[in-house]
Amino acid sequence: MAFNENRHDGVEPPLSPDTLAVHPWASARGRPRAHRTLNAPLFLSTQWEGSDLPQLAELFARDPDRGFYTRFGHPTTRLAEERIAALEDAEDALLFSSGMGAISTSLLAVLRAGDHVVAHQAIFAQTIQFLEHLSATAGVRVDFVDARDPQRVKDAVRANTRLLYLETPSNPAIDVLDIATLAGIAHTVDALVFVDSTFAGPLIQRPLSLGADLVIHSASKSLAGHADVLAGAVAGSAQTAARIRRMRVLTGASLDPHACWLLLRGLQTLPLRVRAQSQTAGSLAQLLEASPAVSHIRYPFLPSHPGHAVARRQMALGGGMLSFALHGGVESTRRFVGALRWIPLASSLGSVYTTLEVPEELDFAAEEIGERTASFALPPGLVRLSVGVEAAEDIEGDIRRGLDAVLSAT
């Protein structure tokens, strides 16, 4: 069954994504009922009582989301899944206990021994690790290629290619990949196309409309938006979602209902947050590009970005993520970080807080992802900056403070 009720039938125009993000019942069918709660309800129960054995069996077999056992489904979870499906204009969506829960469960659901996967070479480190794990233990062949060049993907696909795995913009390199072109290549051999769209989100980029079969989010990031939820999400066709749903029951990677409720609340401010973050990030990218301390800058809407033209075609905004490197490498990066007054070092991204991370010293070290998948090179001391919603002048002031420290030392 498809759950996205915003897929309009030509009678009424579809609602704006801004409205779908904010209103708890906007994706529900028909006019809201009287006395329905304005806020989404939270049911703090892991199990439900059946009126008799046949009725409980019916819930288990056909409609566990109404209330059976939370690992199978939950009413609050379903409300959040319907909201994400509506935002992505998807037939269905599923939530998971983390972004990696969403990724690993989805891969396990669609891949079998003997299958071949083509993946962009510069994706999230733990996604690379999981694909390497499948290659080492489950008989799945994985080839990592530079998907910025569609010809390399075309050369890599083969008759048994079952999946093309993309991430755009990518973490942390901010690579921009042409989803429509790459999906067209993959579909010539009937391969599925998964796109991790965490760095963009549904108000900036809709991979399904560009030919992807599944869009993946670490919902802990911009979807929830307040650094208080660990969650993952996928959205796609009802058929693909059904396969992944069955695997989620087996892996147990279901999302806690209270986290679903917090996610729903976070989504209500998503339109405001992504616009503010994109505007500030665009200004910061220009500031960094103009600084003599900066040797490398990547932001999708900077004309100097190699994927700028693609970004302008498939993204409505530049987003809140950028990366840059400094002349002097790691030592300059440490000097930059040490001079900051209030922007914190943090391991995550996409929330209301401006944060930065130096991936080289954390999860993107070559030894953690395997030498053969580390053929791409990040500039030494690369900084990944996640722009929040604080006053733009305060963020800019702290960034200038770090840049001045680097310049004064050189």
Side-chain angles (χ1 to χ4, degrees), residues 1-8 12 15 19-21 23-33 36-37 78-87 264:
M1 176 179 178
F3 281 89
N4 182 1
E5 310 299 350
N6 190 51
R7 299 173 70 87
H8 73 107
E12 295 183 1
L15 294 171
T19 303
L20 293 171
H23 201 285
W25 306 105
S27 60
R29 183 185 297 276
R31 187 178 299 277
R33 296 193 299 268
R36 175 180 274 171
T37 59
R78 195 60 201 149
L79 283 173
E81 290 173 341
E82 288 176 347
R83 186 87 61 86
I84 290 172
L87 286 170
L264 281 164

PDB file of all heavy atoms in Angstrom, residues 1-8 12 15 19-21 23-33 36-37 78-87 264:
ATOM      1  N   MET A   1       0.839  -1.203   0.000  1.00  0.00           N
ATOM      2  CA  MET A   1       0.000   0.000   0.000  1.00  0.00           C
ATOM      3  C   MET A   1       0.868   1.245   0.000  1.00  0.00           C
ATOM      4  O   MET A   1       1.849   1.342   0.710  1.00  0.00           O
ATOM      5  CB  MET A   1      -0.907   0.015   1.240  1.00  0.00           C
ATOM      6  CG  MET A   1      -1.756   1.274   1.367  1.00  0.00           C
ATOM      7  SD  MET A   1      -2.809   1.208   2.833  1.00  0.00           S
ATOM      8  CE  MET A   1      -3.588   2.816   2.719  1.00  0.00           C
ATOM      9  N   ALA A   2       0.517   2.220  -0.833  1.00  0.00           N
ATOM     10  CA  ALA A   2       1.239   3.491  -0.859  1.00  0.00           C
ATOM     11  C   ALA A   2       0.677   4.410   0.201  1.00  0.00           C
ATOM     12  O   ALA A   2      -0.524   4.486   0.404  1.00  0.00           O
ATOM     13  CB  ALA A   2       1.117   4.131  -2.240  1.00  0.00           C
ATOM     14  N   PHE A   3       1.569   5.137   0.864  1.00  0.00           N
ATOM     15  CA  PHE A   3       1.132   5.962   1.988  1.00  0.00           C
ATOM     16  C   PHE A   3       1.233   7.449   1.699  1.00  0.00           C
ATOM     17  O   PHE A   3       0.830   8.255   2.518  1.00  0.00           O
ATOM     18  CB  PHE A   3       1.952   5.636   3.237  1.00  0.00           C
ATOM     19  CG  PHE A   3       1.492   4.390   3.914  1.00  0.00           C
ATOM     20  CD1 PHE A   3       2.019   3.170   3.544  1.00  0.00           C
ATOM     21  CD2 PHE A   3       0.515   4.436   4.891  1.00  0.00           C
ATOM     22  CE1 PHE A   3       1.591   2.017   4.164  1.00  0.00           C
ATOM     23  CE2 PHE A   3       0.084   3.279   5.508  1.00  0.00           C
ATOM     24  CZ  PHE A   3       0.628   2.070   5.145  1.00  0.00           C
ATOM     25  N   ASN A   4       1.800   7.860   0.578  1.00  0.00           N
ATOM     26  CA  ASN A   4       1.919   9.287   0.319  1.00  0.00           C
ATOM     27  C   ASN A   4       0.638   9.808  -0.291  1.00  0.00           C
ATOM     28  O   ASN A   4       0.377   9.655  -1.477  1.00  0.00           O
ATOM     29  CB  ASN A   4       3.099   9.571  -0.614  1.00  0.00           C
ATOM     30  CG  ASN A   4       3.278  11.054  -0.872  1.00  0.00           C
ATOM     31  OD1 ASN A   4       2.533  11.876  -0.340  1.00  0.00           O
ATOM     32  ND2 ASN A   4       4.249  11.388  -1.678  1.00  0.00           N
ATOM     33  N   GLU A   5      -0.170  10.458   0.525  1.00  0.00           N
ATOM     34  CA  GLU A   5      -1.460  10.955   0.059  1.00  0.00           C
ATOM     35  C   GLU A   5      -1.323  12.302  -0.641  1.00  0.00           C
ATOM     36  O   GLU A   5      -2.303  12.875  -1.100  1.00  0.00           O
ATOM     37  CB  GLU A   5      -2.430  11.093   1.238  1.00  0.00           C
ATOM     38  CG  GLU A   5      -2.517   9.860   2.126  1.00  0.00           C
ATOM     39  CD  GLU A   5      -3.001   8.629   1.389  1.00  0.00           C
ATOM     40  OE1 GLU A   5      -3.448   8.767   0.247  1.00  0.00           O
ATOM     41  OE2 GLU A   5      -2.914   7.534   1.957  1.00  0.00           O
ATOM     42  N   ASN A   6      -0.087  12.841  -0.721  1.00  0.00           N
ATOM     43  CA  ASN A   6       0.099  14.108  -1.417  1.00  0.00           C
ATOM     44  C   ASN A   6       0.267  13.910  -2.916  1.00  0.00           C
ATOM     45  O   ASN A   6       0.284  14.859  -3.674  1.00  0.00           O
ATOM     46  CB  ASN A   6       1.326  14.847  -0.858  1.00  0.00           C
ATOM     47  CG  ASN A   6       1.414  16.273  -1.373  1.00  0.00           C
ATOM     48  OD1 ASN A   6       0.439  17.004  -1.299  1.00  0.00           O
ATOM     49  ND2 ASN A   6       2.562  16.643  -1.900  1.00  0.00           N
ATOM     50  N   ARG A   7       0.400  12.680  -3.341  1.00  0.00           N
ATOM     51  CA  ARG A   7       0.528  12.428  -4.778  1.00  0.00           C
ATOM     52  C   ARG A   7      -0.846  12.677  -5.394  1.00  0.00           C
ATOM     53  O   ARG A   7      -1.724  11.838  -5.393  1.00  0.00           O
ATOM     54  CB  ARG A   7       1.004  10.999  -5.010  1.00  0.00           C
ATOM     55  CG  ARG A   7       2.379  10.735  -4.381  1.00  0.00           C
ATOM     56  CD  ARG A   7       2.759   9.278  -4.467  1.00  0.00           C
ATOM     57  NE  ARG A   7       3.040   8.875  -5.840  1.00  0.00           N
ATOM     58  CZ  ARG A   7       4.232   8.999  -6.423  1.00  0.00           C
ATOM     59  NH1 ARG A   7       5.227   9.523  -5.758  1.00  0.00           N
ATOM     60  NH2 ARG A   7       4.428   8.592  -7.662  1.00  0.00           N
ATOM     61  N   HIS A   8      -1.016  13.879  -5.952  1.00  0.00           N
ATOM     62  CA  HIS A   8      -2.364  14.352  -6.255  1.00  0.00           C
ATOM     63  C   HIS A   8      -2.909  13.716  -7.524  1.00  0.00           C
ATOM     64  O   HIS A   8      -2.179  13.230  -8.379  1.00  0.00           O
ATOM     65  CB  HIS A   8      -2.357  15.886  -6.363  1.00  0.00           C
ATOM     66  CG  HIS A   8      -1.708  16.410  -7.610  1.00  0.00           C
ATOM     67  ND1 HIS A   8      -2.442  16.934  -8.627  1.00  0.00           N
ATOM     68  CD2 HIS A   8      -0.405  16.491  -7.987  1.00  0.00           C
ATOM     69  CE1 HIS A   8      -1.626  17.321  -9.595  1.00  0.00           C
ATOM     70  NE2 HIS A   8      -0.395  17.076  -9.228  1.00  0.00           N
ATOM     71  N   GLU A  12      -7.032  18.351  -7.017  1.00  0.00           N
ATOM     72  CA  GLU A  12      -6.525  19.390  -6.136  1.00  0.00           C
ATOM     73  C   GLU A  12      -5.011  19.501  -6.288  1.00  0.00           C
ATOM     74  O   GLU A  12      -4.332  18.487  -6.442  1.00  0.00           O
ATOM     75  CB  GLU A  12      -6.865  19.079  -4.680  1.00  0.00           C
ATOM     76  CG  GLU A  12      -8.353  19.079  -4.388  1.00  0.00           C
ATOM     77  CD  GLU A  12      -8.635  18.844  -2.917  1.00  0.00           C
ATOM     78  OE1 GLU A  12      -7.662  18.698  -2.159  1.00  0.00           O
ATOM     79  OE2 GLU A  12      -9.811  18.817  -2.533  1.00  0.00           O
ATOM     80  N   LEU A  15       0.148  19.997  -1.972  1.00  0.00           N
ATOM     81  CA  LEU A  15       0.569  20.977  -0.976  1.00  0.00           C
ATOM     82  C   LEU A  15       2.059  21.262  -1.108  1.00  0.00           C
ATOM     83  O   LEU A  15       2.839  20.417  -1.540  1.00  0.00           O
ATOM     84  CB  LEU A  15       0.270  20.459   0.428  1.00  0.00           C
ATOM     85  CG  LEU A  15      -1.207  20.300   0.784  1.00  0.00           C
ATOM     86  CD1 LEU A  15      -1.349  19.583   2.120  1.00  0.00           C
ATOM     87  CD2 LEU A  15      -1.905  21.644   0.832  1.00  0.00           C
ATOM     88  N   THR A  19       4.411  23.255   3.806  1.00  0.00           N
ATOM     89  CA  THR A  19       3.206  22.882   4.552  1.00  0.00           C
ATOM     90  C   THR A  19       3.277  21.434   5.010  1.00  0.00           C
ATOM     91  O   THR A  19       2.909  21.108   6.145  1.00  0.00           O
ATOM     92  CB  THR A  19       1.956  23.095   3.681  1.00  0.00           C
ATOM     93  OG1 THR A  19       1.912  24.455   3.258  1.00  0.00           O
ATOM     94  CG2 THR A  19       0.686  22.759   4.445  1.00  0.00           C
ATOM     95  N   LEU A  20       3.773  20.552   4.144  1.00  0.00           N
ATOM     96  CA  LEU A  20       3.886  19.143   4.497  1.00  0.00           C
ATOM     97  C   LEU A  20       4.826  18.938   5.677  1.00  0.00           C
ATOM     98  O   LEU A  20       4.597  18.069   6.519  1.00  0.00           O
ATOM     99  CB  LEU A  20       4.378  18.341   3.297  1.00  0.00           C
ATOM    100  CG  LEU A  20       3.410  18.250   2.114  1.00  0.00           C
ATOM    101  CD1 LEU A  20       4.101  17.622   0.928  1.00  0.00           C
ATOM    102  CD2 LEU A  20       2.174  17.456   2.496  1.00  0.00           C
ATOM    103  N   ALA A  21       5.893  19.747   5.749  1.00  0.00           N
ATOM    104  CA  ALA A  21       6.843  19.618   6.846  1.00  0.00           C
ATOM    105  C   ALA A  21       6.244  20.073   8.165  1.00  0.00           C
ATOM    106  O   ALA A  21       6.517  19.498   9.224  1.00  0.00           O
ATOM    107  CB  ALA A  21       8.112  20.415   6.546  1.00  0.00           C
ATOM    108  N   HIS A  23       2.720  20.742   9.071  1.00  0.00           N
ATOM    109  CA  HIS A  23       1.396  20.342   9.552  1.00  0.00           C
ATOM    110  C   HIS A  23       1.333  18.844   9.827  1.00  0.00           C
ATOM    111  O   HIS A  23       1.650  18.028   8.956  1.00  0.00           O
ATOM    112  CB  HIS A  23       0.316  20.709   8.541  1.00  0.00           C
ATOM    113  CG  HIS A  23      -1.053  20.789   9.149  1.00  0.00           C
ATOM    114  ND1 HIS A  23      -1.765  19.670   9.487  1.00  0.00           N
ATOM    115  CD2 HIS A  23      -1.816  21.841   9.504  1.00  0.00           C
ATOM    116  CE1 HIS A  23      -2.922  20.024  10.011  1.00  0.00           C
ATOM    117  NE2 HIS A  23      -2.983  21.341  10.035  1.00  0.00           N
ATOM    118  N   PRO A  24       0.913  18.431  11.029  1.00  0.00           N
ATOM    119  CA  PRO A  24       0.966  17.008  11.382  1.00  0.00           C
ATOM    120  C   PRO A  24       0.069  16.125  10.542  1.00  0.00           C
ATOM    121  O   PRO A  24       0.352  14.940  10.389  1.00  0.00           O
ATOM    122  CB  PRO A  24       0.541  16.990  12.854  1.00  0.00           C
ATOM    123  CG  PRO A  24      -0.214  18.254  13.067  1.00  0.00           C
ATOM    124  CD  PRO A  24       0.414  19.261  12.155  1.00  0.00           C
ATOM    125  N   TRP A  25      -1.008  16.672  10.002  1.00  0.00           N
ATOM    126  CA  TRP A  25      -1.958  15.830   9.260  1.00  0.00           C
ATOM    127  C   TRP A  25      -2.027  16.199   7.784  1.00  0.00           C
ATOM    128  O   TRP A  25      -2.937  15.755   7.083  1.00  0.00           O
ATOM    129  CB  TRP A  25      -3.360  15.948   9.877  1.00  0.00           C
ATOM    130  CG  TRP A  25      -3.357  15.642  11.345  1.00  0.00           C
ATOM    131  CD1 TRP A  25      -3.448  16.536  12.378  1.00  0.00           C
ATOM    132  CD2 TRP A  25      -3.208  14.364  11.951  1.00  0.00           C
ATOM    133  NE1 TRP A  25      -3.381  15.896  13.581  1.00  0.00           N
ATOM    134  CE2 TRP A  25      -3.236  14.556  13.354  1.00  0.00           C
ATOM    135  CE3 TRP A  25      -3.061  13.067  11.458  1.00  0.00           C
ATOM    136  CZ2 TRP A  25      -3.119  13.506  14.258  1.00  0.00           C
ATOM    137  CZ3 TRP A  25      -2.942  12.023  12.366  1.00  0.00           C
ATOM    138  CH2 TRP A  25      -2.975  12.246  13.738  1.00  0.00           C
ATOM    139  N   ALA A  26      -1.086  16.981   7.294  1.00  0.00           N
ATOM    140  CA  ALA A  26      -1.181  17.456   5.911  1.00  0.00           C
ATOM    141  C   ALA A  26      -1.103  16.320   4.902  1.00  0.00           C
ATOM    142  O   ALA A  26      -1.641  16.429   3.801  1.00  0.00           O
ATOM    143  CB  ALA A  26      -0.079  18.476   5.636  1.00  0.00           C
ATOM    144  N   SER A  27      -0.412  15.226   5.270  1.00  0.00           N
ATOM    145  CA  SER A  27      -0.293  14.117   4.322  1.00  0.00           C
ATOM    146  C   SER A  27      -1.387  13.074   4.503  1.00  0.00           C
ATOM    147  O   SER A  27      -1.411  12.071   3.795  1.00  0.00           O
ATOM    148  CB  SER A  27       1.083  13.445   4.481  1.00  0.00           C
ATOM    149  OG  SER A  27       1.243  12.954   5.791  1.00  0.00           O
ATOM    150  N   ALA A  28      -2.320  13.295   5.443  1.00  0.00           N
ATOM    151  CA  ALA A  28      -3.416  12.348   5.654  1.00  0.00           C
ATOM    152  C   ALA A  28      -4.497  12.539   4.598  1.00  0.00           C
ATOM    153  O   ALA A  28      -4.683  13.632   4.065  1.00  0.00           O
ATOM    154  CB  ALA A  28      -4.013  12.526   7.047  1.00  0.00           C
ATOM    155  N   ARG A  29      -5.207  11.488   4.317  1.00  0.00           N
ATOM    156  CA  ARG A  29      -6.243  11.557   3.282  1.00  0.00           C
ATOM    157  C   ARG A  29      -7.471  12.318   3.800  1.00  0.00           C
ATOM    158  O   ARG A  29      -7.927  12.123   4.915  1.00  0.00           O
ATOM    159  CB  ARG A  29      -6.675  10.141   2.873  1.00  0.00           C
ATOM    160  CG  ARG A  29      -7.709  10.134   1.736  1.00  0.00           C
ATOM    161  CD  ARG A  29      -8.166   8.712   1.467  1.00  0.00           C
ATOM    162  NE  ARG A  29      -7.083   7.875   1.004  1.00  0.00           N
ATOM    163  CZ  ARG A  29      -6.692   7.817  -0.265  1.00  0.00           C
ATOM    164  NH1 ARG A  29      -7.274   8.576  -1.176  1.00  0.00           N
ATOM    165  NH2 ARG A  29      -5.705   7.012  -0.608  1.00  0.00           N
ATOM    166  N   GLY A  30      -7.982  13.215   2.984  1.00  0.00           N
ATOM    167  CA  GLY A  30      -9.236  13.891   3.304  1.00  0.00           C
ATOM    168  C   GLY A  30      -9.089  15.007   4.309  1.00  0.00           C
ATOM    169  O   GLY A  30      -8.007  15.372   4.736  1.00  0.00           O
ATOM    170  N   ARG A  31     -10.226  15.574   4.692  1.00  0.00           N
ATOM    171  CA  ARG A  31     -10.254  16.687   5.636  1.00  0.00           C
ATOM    172  C   ARG A  31     -10.002  16.177   7.056  1.00  0.00           C
ATOM    173  O   ARG A  31     -10.512  15.142   7.455  1.00  0.00           O
ATOM    174  CB  ARG A  31     -11.626  17.362   5.558  1.00  0.00           C
ATOM    175  CG  ARG A  31     -11.737  18.652   6.377  1.00  0.00           C
ATOM    176  CD  ARG A  31     -13.106  19.255   6.187  1.00  0.00           C
ATOM    177  NE  ARG A  31     -13.343  19.582   4.793  1.00  0.00           N
ATOM    178  CZ  ARG A  31     -12.917  20.704   4.210  1.00  0.00           C
ATOM    179  NH1 ARG A  31     -12.202  21.563   4.905  1.00  0.00           N
ATOM    180  NH2 ARG A  31     -13.173  20.937   2.952  1.00  0.00           N
ATOM    181  N   PRO A  32      -9.182  16.905   7.827  1.00  0.00           N
ATOM    182  CA  PRO A  32      -8.917  16.464   9.202  1.00  0.00           C
ATOM    183  C   PRO A  32     -10.210  16.318   9.998  1.00  0.00           C
ATOM    184  O   PRO A  32     -11.133  17.119   9.877  1.00  0.00           O
ATOM    185  CB  PRO A  32      -8.049  17.594   9.766  1.00  0.00           C
ATOM    186  CG  PRO A  32      -7.429  18.222   8.561  1.00  0.00           C
ATOM    187  CD  PRO A  32      -8.451  18.107   7.465  1.00  0.00           C
ATOM    188  N   ARG A  33     -10.269  15.292  10.838  1.00  0.00           N
ATOM    189  CA  ARG A  33     -11.452  15.041  11.647  1.00  0.00           C
ATOM    190  C   ARG A  33     -11.523  16.014  12.818  1.00  0.00           C
ATOM    191  O   ARG A  33     -10.503  16.484  13.331  1.00  0.00           O
ATOM    192  CB  ARG A  33     -11.424  13.606  12.178  1.00  0.00           C
ATOM    193  CG  ARG A  33     -11.505  12.545  11.094  1.00  0.00           C
ATOM    194  CD  ARG A  33     -11.788  11.184  11.717  1.00  0.00           C
ATOM    195  NE  ARG A  33     -10.726  10.781  12.627  1.00  0.00           N
ATOM    196  CZ  ARG A  33      -9.693  10.047  12.249  1.00  0.00           C
ATOM    197  NH1 ARG A  33      -9.569   9.675  10.989  1.00  0.00           N
ATOM    198  NH2 ARG A  33      -8.772   9.708  13.130  1.00  0.00           N
ATOM    199  N   ARG A  36      -9.321  16.043  16.435  1.00  0.00           N
ATOM    200  CA  ARG A  36      -8.014  15.412  16.227  1.00  0.00           C
ATOM    201  C   ARG A  36      -6.956  16.293  16.876  1.00  0.00           C
ATOM    202  O   ARG A  36      -7.023  17.508  16.823  1.00  0.00           O
ATOM    203  CB  ARG A  36      -7.756  15.250  14.734  1.00  0.00           C
ATOM    204  CG  ARG A  36      -6.372  14.714  14.392  1.00  0.00           C
ATOM    205  CD  ARG A  36      -6.199  14.574  12.894  1.00  0.00           C
ATOM    206  NE  ARG A  36      -6.692  13.290  12.432  1.00  0.00           N
ATOM    207  CZ  ARG A  36      -6.822  12.953  11.143  1.00  0.00           C
ATOM    208  NH1 ARG A  36      -6.542  13.847  10.216  1.00  0.00           N
ATOM    209  NH2 ARG A  36      -7.257  11.772  10.801  1.00  0.00           N
ATOM    210  N   THR A  37      -5.968  15.683  17.496  1.00  0.00           N
ATOM    211  CA  THR A  37      -4.924  16.465  18.147  1.00  0.00           C
ATOM    212  C   THR A  37      -4.167  17.306  17.121  1.00  0.00           C
ATOM    213  O   THR A  37      -3.887  16.845  16.007  1.00  0.00           O
ATOM    214  CB  THR A  37      -3.919  15.548  18.859  1.00  0.00           C
ATOM    215  OG1 THR A  37      -3.328  14.667  17.903  1.00  0.00           O
ATOM    216  CG2 THR A  37      -4.604  14.737  19.946  1.00  0.00           C
ATOM    217  N   ARG A  78       4.507   5.600  12.298  1.00  0.00           N
ATOM    218  CA  ARG A  78       3.884   5.665  10.971  1.00  0.00           C
ATOM    219  C   ARG A  78       3.587   7.104  10.572  1.00  0.00           C
ATOM    220  O   ARG A  78       3.717   7.472   9.394  1.00  0.00           O
ATOM    221  CB  ARG A  78       2.589   4.840  10.964  1.00  0.00           C
ATOM    222  CG  ARG A  78       2.104   4.558   9.551  1.00  0.00           C
ATOM    223  CD  ARG A  78       3.157   3.767   8.786  1.00  0.00           C
ATOM    224  NE  ARG A  78       2.991   3.874   7.331  1.00  0.00           N
ATOM    225  CZ  ARG A  78       3.988   3.833   6.470  1.00  0.00           C
ATOM    226  NH1 ARG A  78       5.226   3.718   6.889  1.00  0.00           N
ATOM    227  NH2 ARG A  78       3.773   3.914   5.185  1.00  0.00           N
ATOM    228  N   LEU A  79       3.170   7.937  11.534  1.00  0.00           N
ATOM    229  CA  LEU A  79       2.927   9.344  11.218  1.00  0.00           C
ATOM    230  C   LEU A  79       4.201  10.012  10.697  1.00  0.00           C
ATOM    231  O   LEU A  79       4.167  10.770   9.726  1.00  0.00           O
ATOM    232  CB  LEU A  79       2.428  10.083  12.455  1.00  0.00           C
ATOM    233  CG  LEU A  79       0.969   9.866  12.852  1.00  0.00           C
ATOM    234  CD1 LEU A  79       0.692  10.543  14.189  1.00  0.00           C
ATOM    235  CD2 LEU A  79       0.033  10.410  11.778  1.00  0.00           C
ATOM    236  N   ALA A  80       5.328   9.726  11.339  1.00  0.00           N
ATOM    237  CA  ALA A  80       6.587  10.316  10.893  1.00  0.00           C
ATOM    238  C   ALA A  80       6.992   9.772   9.526  1.00  0.00           C
ATOM    239  O   ALA A  80       7.504  10.519   8.679  1.00  0.00           O
ATOM    240  CB  ALA A  80       7.680  10.047  11.924  1.00  0.00           C
ATOM    241  N   GLU A  81       6.759   8.492   9.299  1.00  0.00           N
ATOM    242  CA  GLU A  81       7.101   7.915   7.993  1.00  0.00           C
ATOM    243  C   GLU A  81       6.241   8.505   6.881  1.00  0.00           C
ATOM    244  O   GLU A  81       6.739   8.796   5.781  1.00  0.00           O
ATOM    245  CB  GLU A  81       6.935   6.393   8.058  1.00  0.00           C
ATOM    246  CG  GLU A  81       7.994   5.721   8.920  1.00  0.00           C
ATOM    247  CD  GLU A  81       7.749   4.243   9.132  1.00  0.00           C
ATOM    248  OE1 GLU A  81       6.593   3.779   8.937  1.00  0.00           O
ATOM    249  OE2 GLU A  81       8.706   3.532   9.504  1.00  0.00           O
ATOM    250  N   GLU A  82       4.962   8.705   7.157  1.00  0.00           N
ATOM    251  CA  GLU A  82       4.088   9.327   6.156  1.00  0.00           C
ATOM    252  C   GLU A  82       4.536  10.745   5.837  1.00  0.00           C
ATOM    253  O   GLU A  82       4.458  11.196   4.686  1.00  0.00           O
ATOM    254  CB  GLU A  82       2.653   9.319   6.660  1.00  0.00           C
ATOM    255  CG  GLU A  82       2.006   7.943   6.663  1.00  0.00           C
ATOM    256  CD  GLU A  82       0.610   7.952   7.264  1.00  0.00           C
ATOM    257  OE1 GLU A  82       0.231   8.966   7.897  1.00  0.00           O
ATOM    258  OE2 GLU A  82      -0.095   6.949   7.117  1.00  0.00           O
ATOM    259  N   ARG A  83       5.014  11.464   6.871  1.00  0.00           N
ATOM    260  CA  ARG A  83       5.475  12.831   6.640  1.00  0.00           C
ATOM    261  C   ARG A  83       6.696  12.836   5.715  1.00  0.00           C
ATOM    262  O   ARG A  83       6.794  13.655   4.803  1.00  0.00           O
ATOM    263  CB  ARG A  83       5.817  13.487   7.976  1.00  0.00           C
ATOM    264  CG  ARG A  83       6.178  14.959   7.906  1.00  0.00           C
ATOM    265  CD  ARG A  83       4.930  15.829   7.979  1.00  0.00           C
ATOM    266  NE  ARG A  83       4.215  15.631   9.227  1.00  0.00           N
ATOM    267  CZ  ARG A  83       4.482  16.279  10.359  1.00  0.00           C
ATOM    268  NH1 ARG A  83       5.442  17.193  10.380  1.00  0.00           N
ATOM    269  NH2 ARG A  83       3.764  16.063  11.440  1.00  0.00           N
ATOM    270  N   ILE A  84       7.633  11.952   5.954  1.00  0.00           N
ATOM    271  CA  ILE A  84       8.837  11.903   5.123  1.00  0.00           C
ATOM    272  C   ILE A  84       8.497  11.448   3.708  1.00  0.00           C
ATOM    273  O   ILE A  84       9.026  11.975   2.723  1.00  0.00           O
ATOM    274  CB  ILE A  84       9.887  10.987   5.780  1.00  0.00           C
ATOM    275  CG1 ILE A  84      10.431  11.673   7.041  1.00  0.00           C
ATOM    276  CG2 ILE A  84      11.031  10.675   4.812  1.00  0.00           C
ATOM    277  CD1 ILE A  84      11.317  10.811   7.875  1.00  0.00           C
ATOM    278  N   ALA A  85       7.590  10.474   3.585  1.00  0.00           N
ATOM    279  CA  ALA A  85       7.164  10.045   2.254  1.00  0.00           C
ATOM    280  C   ALA A  85       6.557  11.203   1.477  1.00  0.00           C
ATOM    281  O   ALA A  85       6.823  11.389   0.286  1.00  0.00           O
ATOM    282  CB  ALA A  85       6.163   8.893   2.367  1.00  0.00           C
ATOM    283  N   ALA A  86       5.743  12.013   2.147  1.00  0.00           N
ATOM    284  CA  ALA A  86       5.130  13.159   1.484  1.00  0.00           C
ATOM    285  C   ALA A  86       6.181  14.172   1.058  1.00  0.00           C
ATOM    286  O   ALA A  86       6.123  14.723  -0.050  1.00  0.00           O
ATOM    287  CB  ALA A  86       4.109  13.818   2.418  1.00  0.00           C
ATOM    288  N   LEU A  87       7.171  14.422   1.915  1.00  0.00           N
ATOM    289  CA  LEU A  87       8.213  15.389   1.577  1.00  0.00           C
ATOM    290  C   LEU A  87       9.055  14.923   0.397  1.00  0.00           C
ATOM    291  O   LEU A  87       9.508  15.740  -0.406  1.00  0.00           O
ATOM    292  CB  LEU A  87       9.113  15.623   2.798  1.00  0.00           C
ATOM    293  CG  LEU A  87       8.510  16.457   3.922  1.00  0.00           C
ATOM    294  CD1 LEU A  87       9.404  16.413   5.152  1.00  0.00           C
ATOM    295  CD2 LEU A  87       8.308  17.900   3.468  1.00  0.00           C
ATOM    296  N   LEU A 264       9.237  14.352  14.303  1.00  0.00           N
ATOM    297  CA  LEU A 264       8.089  15.082  13.777  1.00  0.00           C
ATOM    298  C   LEU A 264       8.129  16.549  14.200  1.00  0.00           C
ATOM    299  O   LEU A 264       7.849  17.452  13.403  1.00  0.00           O
ATOM    300  CB  LEU A 264       6.789  14.439  14.264  1.00  0.00           C
ATOM    301  CG  LEU A 264       6.344  13.182  13.532  1.00  0.00           C
ATOM    302  CD1 LEU A 264       5.294  12.433  14.340  1.00  0.00           C
ATOM    303  CD2 LEU A 264       5.797  13.528  12.150  1.00  0.00           C
TER     304      LEU A 264
END
